[in-house]
Amino acid sequence: MSGAPRSPELRTGWGRTLVFVYGVFAVAATARSSYQLLTKASEAPLAYGLSALAAVVYVVATYALATGRRRLAWTAVGVELVGVLVVGAVTLLDRADFPDATVWSGFGAGYGYVPLLLPLAGTWWLWHSSRSPRSGASATSVSSRE
Amino acid sequence: MVGVAALCGVAAVGLVVEMVRNRQPGGLLLDFLGLVAASVLVVTVWGVVRLFGDRGDVPVWEYLGYLLLVPFCIPAGIVWSHGERSRGGTAALLVAVLVVPFLLLRLHDIWAAGT
């Protein structure tokens, strides 16, 4: 995807906070899912597989926001929003397939619903930063390897 | 652990005040954050040491995973917020400070469930 413009403003202002929160979730979800898959994958394969998927999504979202890759960030945040809504609903309706919780279970209730709020905040930030006056100038002036 | 959580609470109040005033944390507050980070380090060492005692059925790797994340939170927050002059930088540091008590609570729960 070489030649696509970068948007460094994604990690400034409130974006600084958002990237940090995504980073915390990326580290926590990666560590937790790695531990689950390495030690007890057979106990709840679906739940632990979804935990691993969530970890990948958080890592990609953190990377995309921190490096100003707007399109990739939109994709990651979109997948995250769909994931937390679908998994949240399924875990409430069909508890049998989820003997252990994922980060998205119950719409992220185990994490104070931050997993539900985070993609909403990410969507708002991506939309808001694309409308700010400086985003256009910086997006076109910085080259990208994306 | 309760003492460290209380220190984090005080630091969080200070950071909220700086956010409201739209100022970067400076002097005294940064010194206090250094004190909090040092106390977190002491708790981390204590957490490792007590693994060598009677630990019952505590899942060691899960416990260690959370424990070893704790001392990195505040330094990572300071580094990441450095140079960001808006409220967003201070808010990132606030998140880092608030993550510490959350991780300490998880550690307490994991330990209590295993012993």
Side-chain angles (χ1 to χ4, degrees):
Chain A
M1 288 193 277
S2 87
R6 279 201 201 173
S7 307
E9 73 280 357
L10 282 180
R11 67 177 206 173
T12 60
W14 291 113
R16 203 76 159 187
T17 315
L18 193 64
V19 171
F20 192 81
V21 177
Y22 266 109
V24 168
F25 268 82
V27 172
T30 302
R32 186 182 181 192
S33 64
S34 301
Y35 168 76
Q36 289 171 331
L37 287 173
L38 288 172
T39 60
K40 46 186 180 179
S42 59
E43 291 178 20
L46 182 59
Y48 298 156
L50 284 170
S51 285
L53 172 67
V56 171
V57 170
Y58 287 130
V59 168
V60 172
T62 306
Y63 169 77
L65 289 167
T67 57
R69 289 170 162 83
R70 186 177 290 277
R71 201 169 5 177
L72 185 61
W74 269 116
T75 306
V77 170
V79 170
E80 181 194 2
L81 183 58
V82 171
V84 73
L85 291 175
V86 171
V87 174
V90 169
T91 48
L92 290 180
L93 297 171
D94 182 16
R95 294 172 191 272
D97 282 338
F98 293 89
D100 201 355
T102 81
V103 67
W104 289 338
S105 293
F107 303 106
Y111 292 84
Y113 294 100
V114 176
L116 177 62
L117 298 175
L118 202 50
L120 298 177
T123 303
W124 170 79
W125 179 244
L126 285 165
W127 176 77
H128 173 80
S129 61
S130 69
R131 290 166 57 90
S132 68
R134 62 179 172 171
S135 67
S138 51
T140 52
S141 63
V142 180
S143 64
S144 169
R145 285 173 296 184
E146 189 180 6
Chain B
M1 283 190 183
V2 175
V4 175
L7 288 175
C8 289
V10 173
V13 170
L15 288 166
V16 168
V17 169
E18 294 300 81
M19 272 179 63
V20 171
R21 297 169 70 185
N22 199 14
R23 284 176 43 171
Q24 286 185 294
L28 191 61
L29 186 52
L30 279 180
D31 290 345
F32 186 71
L33 284 170
L35 174 71
V36 178
S39 67
V40 167
L41 205 55
V42 170
V43 166
T44 305
V45 172
W46 170 73
V48 172
V49 168
R50 76 171 174 170
L51 276 176
F52 293 97
D54 180 18
R55 62 170 188 259
D57 292 325
V58 171
V60 175
W61 288 110
E62 185 179 9
Y63 177 83
L64 269 179
Y66 280 102
L67 185 66
L68 296 180
L69 277 180
V70 183
F72 291 100
C73 290
I74 292 176
I78 290 173
V79 169
W80 184 245
S81 65
H82 181 72
E84 175 56 55
R85 294 182 176 278
S86 71
R87 288 185 173 96
T90 311
L93 194 47
L94 176 64
V95 171
V97 167
L98 292 177
V99 167
V100 171
F102 175 80
L103 289 175
L104 293 179
L105 183 63
R106 283 290 298 157
L107 281 166
H108 174 267
D109 289 346
I110 291 169
W111 188 270
T115 54

Short mmCIF file of all heavy atoms in Angstrom, two decimals, chain B residues 26-56:
data_model
loop_
_atom_site.label_atom_id
_atom_site.label_comp_id
_atom_site.label_asym_id
_atom_site.label_seq_id
_atom_site.Cartn_x
_atom_site.Cartn_y
_atom_site.Cartn_z
N GLY B 26 4.05 19.00 36.30
CA GLY B 26 5.43 19.44 36.43
C GLY B 26 5.94 19.19 37.83
O GLY B 26 5.27 18.55 38.63
N GLY B 27 7.13 19.69 38.12
CA GLY B 27 7.82 19.64 39.40
C GLY B 27 7.33 18.66 40.44
O GLY B 27 7.65 17.47 40.39
N LEU B 28 6.52 19.17 41.36
CA LEU B 28 6.10 18.39 42.52
C LEU B 28 5.33 17.14 42.11
O LEU B 28 5.55 16.05 42.65
CB LEU B 28 5.23 19.28 43.42
CG LEU B 28 4.91 18.73 44.80
CD1 LEU B 28 6.18 18.51 45.61
CD2 LEU B 28 3.96 19.67 45.55
N LEU B 29 4.42 17.27 41.14
CA LEU B 29 3.60 16.13 40.73
C LEU B 29 4.45 15.05 40.07
O LEU B 29 4.26 13.85 40.31
CB LEU B 29 2.49 16.60 39.78
CG LEU B 29 1.45 15.55 39.36
CD1 LEU B 29 0.85 14.85 40.57
CD2 LEU B 29 0.35 16.20 38.54
N LEU B 30 5.43 15.46 39.26
CA LEU B 30 6.32 14.47 38.64
C LEU B 30 7.17 13.77 39.70
O LEU B 30 7.41 12.56 39.61
CB LEU B 30 7.21 15.14 37.59
CG LEU B 30 6.56 15.39 36.22
CD1 LEU B 30 7.56 16.05 35.28
CD2 LEU B 30 6.03 14.11 35.60
N ASP B 31 7.62 14.55 40.70
CA ASP B 31 8.37 13.94 41.81
C ASP B 31 7.50 12.91 42.53
O ASP B 31 7.96 11.82 42.88
CB ASP B 31 8.83 15.02 42.80
CG ASP B 31 9.92 15.91 42.22
OD1 ASP B 31 10.50 15.51 41.19
OD2 ASP B 31 10.16 16.99 42.78
N PHE B 32 6.23 13.28 42.75
CA PHE B 32 5.32 12.37 43.44
C PHE B 32 5.09 11.11 42.60
O PHE B 32 5.03 9.99 43.13
CB PHE B 32 3.99 13.08 43.71
CG PHE B 32 3.04 12.26 44.55
CD1 PHE B 32 3.30 12.06 45.90
CD2 PHE B 32 1.91 11.69 43.98
CE1 PHE B 32 2.43 11.30 46.67
CE2 PHE B 32 1.05 10.93 44.75
CZ PHE B 32 1.30 10.74 46.10
N LEU B 33 4.99 11.28 41.27
CA LEU B 33 4.83 10.11 40.39
C LEU B 33 6.06 9.21 40.47
O LEU B 33 5.94 7.98 40.39
CB LEU B 33 4.60 10.57 38.94
CG LEU B 33 3.20 11.11 38.64
CD1 LEU B 33 3.17 11.75 37.25
CD2 LEU B 33 2.17 10.00 38.71
N GLY B 34 7.23 9.83 40.65
CA GLY B 34 8.45 9.04 40.85
C GLY B 34 8.36 8.21 42.12
O GLY B 34 8.75 7.04 42.14
N LEU B 35 7.81 8.83 43.17
CA LEU B 35 7.62 8.11 44.44
C LEU B 35 6.65 6.95 44.26
O LEU B 35 6.89 5.85 44.76
CB LEU B 35 7.09 9.09 45.51
CG LEU B 35 6.69 8.47 46.85
CD1 LEU B 35 7.93 8.03 47.61
CD2 LEU B 35 5.89 9.47 47.69
N VAL B 36 5.56 7.20 43.53
CA VAL B 36 4.57 6.14 43.28
C VAL B 36 5.23 5.00 42.49
O VAL B 36 5.05 3.83 42.81
CB VAL B 36 3.35 6.69 42.50
CG1 VAL B 36 2.36 5.58 42.19
CG2 VAL B 36 2.66 7.80 43.28
N ALA B 37 6.00 5.36 41.46
CA ALA B 37 6.67 4.33 40.64
C ALA B 37 7.63 3.51 41.50
O ALA B 37 7.73 2.29 41.33
CB ALA B 37 7.40 4.99 39.48
N ALA B 38 8.33 4.17 42.42
CA ALA B 38 9.27 3.46 43.30
C ALA B 38 8.51 2.51 44.23
O ALA B 38 8.94 1.36 44.45
CB ALA B 38 10.08 4.46 44.12
N SER B 39 7.37 2.97 44.75
CA SER B 39 6.58 2.10 45.64
C SER B 39 6.01 0.92 44.87
O SER B 39 5.89 -0.19 45.41
CB SER B 39 5.48 2.91 46.34
OG SER B 39 4.52 3.34 45.39
N VAL B 40 5.66 1.13 43.60
CA VAL B 40 5.18 0.04 42.76
C VAL B 40 6.28 -1.01 42.58
O VAL B 40 6.03 -2.22 42.62
CB VAL B 40 4.72 0.57 41.39
CG1 VAL B 40 4.51 -0.56 40.39
CG2 VAL B 40 3.42 1.37 41.54
N LEU B 41 7.50 -0.51 42.43
CA LEU B 41 8.64 -1.43 42.28
C LEU B 41 8.82 -2.28 43.54
O LEU B 41 9.10 -3.49 43.46
CB LEU B 41 9.90 -0.60 41.99
CG LEU B 41 11.03 -1.29 41.23
CD1 LEU B 41 10.54 -1.87 39.91
CD2 LEU B 41 12.16 -0.30 40.99
N VAL B 42 8.66 -1.65 44.71
CA VAL B 42 8.80 -2.39 45.97
C VAL B 42 7.73 -3.48 46.05
O VAL B 42 8.00 -4.63 46.41
CB VAL B 42 8.67 -1.42 47.18
CG1 VAL B 42 8.57 -2.20 48.49
CG2 VAL B 42 9.84 -0.45 47.21
N VAL B 43 6.49 -3.14 45.67
CA VAL B 43 5.40 -4.13 45.70
C VAL B 43 5.68 -5.27 44.72
O VAL B 43 5.39 -6.44 45.01
CB VAL B 43 4.05 -3.43 45.36
CG1 VAL B 43 2.98 -4.46 45.04
CG2 VAL B 43 3.61 -2.55 46.52
N THR B 44 6.27 -4.93 43.57
CA THR B 44 6.59 -5.96 42.58
C THR B 44 7.61 -6.96 43.14
O THR B 44 7.43 -8.18 43.02
CB THR B 44 7.16 -5.31 41.30
OG1 THR B 44 6.24 -4.34 40.82
CG2 THR B 44 7.40 -6.35 40.22
N VAL B 45 8.65 -6.42 43.78
CA VAL B 45 9.67 -7.29 44.37
C VAL B 45 9.04 -8.16 45.46
O VAL B 45 9.28 -9.38 45.52
CB VAL B 45 10.84 -6.45 44.95
CG1 VAL B 45 11.80 -7.33 45.73
CG2 VAL B 45 11.56 -5.72 43.83
N TRP B 46 8.20 -7.54 46.29
CA TRP B 46 7.52 -8.29 47.35
C TRP B 46 6.63 -9.38 46.74
O TRP B 46 6.55 -10.50 47.25
CB TRP B 46 6.69 -7.32 48.20
CG TRP B 46 5.76 -7.97 49.17
CD1 TRP B 46 6.11 -8.61 50.34
CD2 TRP B 46 4.35 -8.09 49.06
NE1 TRP B 46 4.98 -9.10 50.95
CE2 TRP B 46 3.89 -8.79 50.19
CE3 TRP B 46 3.41 -7.65 48.12
CZ2 TRP B 46 2.54 -9.07 50.39
CZ3 TRP B 46 2.08 -7.93 48.32
CH2 TRP B 46 1.65 -8.63 49.44
N GLY B 47 5.98 -9.04 45.64
CA GLY B 47 5.11 -10.02 44.97
C GLY B 47 5.88 -11.21 44.44
O GLY B 47 5.40 -12.35 44.49
N VAL B 48 7.10 -10.97 43.95
CA VAL B 48 7.93 -12.07 43.46
C VAL B 48 8.42 -12.91 44.64
O VAL B 48 8.37 -14.15 44.60
CB VAL B 48 9.13 -11.52 42.65
CG1 VAL B 48 10.10 -12.65 42.30
CG2 VAL B 48 8.65 -10.85 41.36
N VAL B 49 8.86 -12.23 45.69
CA VAL B 49 9.42 -12.93 46.86
C VAL B 49 8.38 -13.86 47.49
O VAL B 49 8.68 -15.00 47.86
CB VAL B 49 9.94 -11.90 47.91
CG1 VAL B 49 10.25 -12.59 49.24
CG2 VAL B 49 11.19 -11.20 47.38
N ARG B 50 7.13 -13.42 47.56
CA ARG B 50 6.14 -14.25 48.25
C ARG B 50 5.76 -15.49 47.45
O ARG B 50 5.13 -16.39 47.97
CB ARG B 50 4.91 -13.44 48.65
CG ARG B 50 3.94 -13.09 47.58
CD ARG B 50 2.72 -12.49 48.24
NE ARG B 50 1.77 -11.99 47.26
CZ ARG B 50 0.54 -11.61 47.57
NH1 ARG B 50 0.11 -11.65 48.82
NH2 ARG B 50 -0.27 -11.16 46.64
N LEU B 51 6.16 -15.52 46.17
CA LEU B 51 5.95 -16.74 45.38
C LEU B 51 6.79 -17.90 45.91
O LEU B 51 6.47 -19.07 45.69
CB LEU B 51 6.29 -16.49 43.91
CG LEU B 51 5.21 -15.87 43.03
CD1 LEU B 51 5.76 -15.60 41.64
CD2 LEU B 51 3.97 -16.75 42.95
N PHE B 52 7.90 -17.55 46.58
CA PHE B 52 8.79 -18.59 47.11
C PHE B 52 8.30 -19.14 48.45
O PHE B 52 8.85 -20.11 48.96
CB PHE B 52 10.23 -18.05 47.26
CG PHE B 52 10.87 -17.73 45.94
CD1 PHE B 52 10.87 -16.44 45.45
CD2 PHE B 52 11.44 -18.73 45.18
CE1 PHE B 52 11.45 -16.14 44.23
CE2 PHE B 52 12.02 -18.45 43.95
CZ PHE B 52 12.03 -17.14 43.47
N GLY B 53 7.25 -18.53 49.00
CA GLY B 53 6.68 -19.03 50.25
C GLY B 53 5.51 -19.95 49.96
O GLY B 53 5.47 -20.62 48.92
N ASP B 54 4.55 -19.97 50.87
CA ASP B 54 3.37 -20.82 50.71
C ASP B 54 2.41 -20.16 49.71
O ASP B 54 1.72 -19.21 50.05
CB ASP B 54 2.68 -21.01 52.07
CG ASP B 54 1.44 -21.89 51.95
OD1 ASP B 54 1.33 -22.61 50.93
OD2 ASP B 54 0.59 -21.84 52.86
N ARG B 55 2.38 -20.68 48.50
CA ARG B 55 1.57 -20.04 47.46
C ARG B 55 0.34 -20.85 47.08
O ARG B 55 -0.41 -20.46 46.17
CB ARG B 55 2.40 -19.73 46.22
CG ARG B 55 2.99 -20.95 45.54
CD ARG B 55 3.59 -20.57 44.20
NE ARG B 55 3.99 -21.73 43.46
CZ ARG B 55 5.24 -22.17 43.35
NH1 ARG B 55 6.21 -21.53 43.95
NH2 ARG B 55 5.51 -23.25 42.64
N GLY B 56 0.13 -22.00 47.75
CA GLY B 56 -1.07 -22.81 47.47
C GLY B 56 -1.18 -23.16 46.00
O GLY B 56 -0.21 -23.60 45.38
#
